[in-house]
Amino acid sequence: MSRGTVLQTSAAIGGLAVVGGAATASASSTESEDGRHRIDGTDHGGSPVGFDLVEYADGGAVVESVTAYESPMIADLHTVLWDSEWELATNTRDDAIGADVSVGDAIPETTATVEWKYTNPDYALVRYWPEITQRAIVSAARPALLIERDLELGAYAPPRYAASPELRHTVYSIANPTIGEERTDGWVTDDGDYDAFVATDHEYSVAIVQRYVHPTVRTGFDGHRVGDVGVEEGENRSAWADIYEEADGWIDRNDASAGDIHFGTGLSLESGDDDGSETTVPTWRTGIGFGSGDGEAVDNAIATVEDGYETERDRY
């Protein structure tokens, strides 16, 4: 989705209330005929956060049209999974074979379990069906959105390949920030503990961090790229082209760009302890924080991934 499309179609936020200047734990959701669920969250004194969860026909489900301060912030947030042994990259929109979606009524949350198929390129009979379960919730404590994911790899088919696939994967997140109507400045920084991507139009800022929570804890990026949407080659090529289209399992690092930008980062899920008989189910979080300044946005993103999904949900 291009910047222009988002700016034209992003939904307005409504149905929210502030009592005595404090945030009220309220939510609203709507569904359109094209499978687009609009989730509007808590109002933090004039800074509501909302997002769309879009179900694609014969495909998967993707978080899109993230808004805060009644303005577009992120057009879409894609997940790409890389199998390092079979050298295959797939994404949870175009390559999925189905999605099971639920939407909260009283809580601004969605759950989407997306399934797709990996087929061995050298021996097409062998395959497995991974599932990513994605839980997205608007924070009641601060202007932020939390996305927590689990990966189930399942078992090989045919049955004589009964062992679970090994945890030899890297997961990539790709976001298209759309803060500025004409131009968005974006770069990768850190706060000492977390790597963070920040984008701003110099009025508001959005920050993205990630936290691997099981089976280990990590808070850095395993590679990152800030590129330009639609650029296929060169120094400023898009994160989508670098990660999904080139599909070599590597990110060619680029730290900053400006304009209509794409951000992508990796998270290695491989485990040296896995013997293939029982694969660990990894869990990781993506925090998206908003603020009137860069530091505020980063702080909100980090606080949300530190709290985790259950804590955020219990606030409602």
Side-chain angles (χ1 to χ4, degrees):
M1 186 179 291
S2 70
R3 174 185 303 273
T5 303
V6 173
L7 292 174
Q8 291 169 16
T9 64
S10 180
I13 295 177
L16 305 172
V18 177
V19 179
T24 59
S26 59
S28 64
S29 63
T30 58
E31 181 180 4
S32 62
E33 293 181 357
D34 63 356
R36 181 177 294 268
H37 304 268
R38 180 66 192 175
I39 310 300
D40 290 332
T42 303
D43 188 326
H44 298 275
S47 56
V49 174
F51 68 97
D52 288 357
L53 181 71
V54 183
E55 295 182 76
Y56 284 87
D58 301 320
V62 177
V63 169
E64 298 183 359
S65 301
V66 180
T67 58
Y69 310 107
E70 299 184 352
S71 300
M73 290 286 171
I74 295 177
D76 44 41
L77 184 70
H78 287 279
T79 302
V80 174
L81 189 69
W82 163 257
D83 182 309
S84 61
E85 183 172 325
W86 291 1
E87 297 185 348
L88 294 172
T90 58
N91 75 74
T92 56
R93 180 189 64 186
D94 304 302
D95 303 309
I97 58 177
D100 183 13
V101 171
S102 65
V103 178
D105 293 326
I107 298 175
E109 63 177 346
T110 63
T111 299
T113 300
V114 178
E115 181 184 18
W116 64 100
K117 179 172 64 176
Y118 268 101
T119 301
N120 189 325
D122 299 320
Y123 188 30
L125 184 65
V126 181
R127 60 196 67 187
Y128 64 96
W129 288 264
E131 288 185 349
I132 281 184
T133 299
Q134 170 183 282
R135 297 169 291 276
I137 187 167
V138 177
S139 174
R142 61 191 68 89
L145 171 65
L146 175 67
I147 301 171
E148 184 172 276
R149 303 179 186 90
D150 299 323
L151 172 65
E152 294 265 8
L153 291 174
Y156 289 116
R160 65 176 178 271
Y161 297 92
S164 298
E166 295 179 3
L167 195 59
R168 59 194 186 215
H169 299 75
T170 300
V171 64
Y172 300 93
S173 297
I174 303 175
N176 175 203
T178 51
I179 298 181
E181 293 186 7
E182 301 295 334
R183 169 192 174 99
T184 300
D185 293 329
W187 63 92
V188 172
T189 184
D190 70 81
D191 81 327
D193 295 319
Y194 279 82
D195 290 338
F197 167 73
V198 178
T200 185
D201 66 352
H202 304 287
E203 181 177 6
Y204 297 115
S205 298
V206 58
I208 298 175
V209 303
Q210 67 183 16
R211 182 178 179 87
Y212 194 22
V213 296
H214 181 77
T216 62
V217 175
R218 297 204 312 272
T219 57
F221 295 154
D222 293 332
H224 60 260
R225 161 160 284 272
V226 186
D228 297 346
V229 172
V231 176
E232 299 294 324
E233 298 179 350
E235 180 181 354
N236 292 325
R237 70 175 172 163
S238 73
W240 182 262
D242 184 50
I243 293 170
Y244 179 67
E245 293 178 354
E246 185 176 39
D248 64 356
W250 294 92
I251 299 179
D252 296 326
R253 177 168 172 166
N254 193 32
D255 294 332
S257 192
D260 192 1
I261 62 177
H262 244 168
F263 164 69
T265 184
L267 177 65
S268 175
L269 304 179
E270 296 189 23
S271 172
D273 297 330
D274 177 33
D275 63 4
S277 60
E278 185 176 351
T279 298
T280 299
V281 176
T283 301
W284 66 98
R285 301 169 185 159
T286 299
I288 305 174
F290 310 96
S292 56
D294 305 339
E296 180 185 358
V298 172
D299 288 346
N300 286 332
I302 291 174
T304 299
V305 296
E306 293 277 356
D307 285 348
Y309 185 81
E310 293 303 325
T311 296
E312 290 289 1
R313 197 178 194 280
D314 287 346
R315 291 194 169 105
Y316 289 90

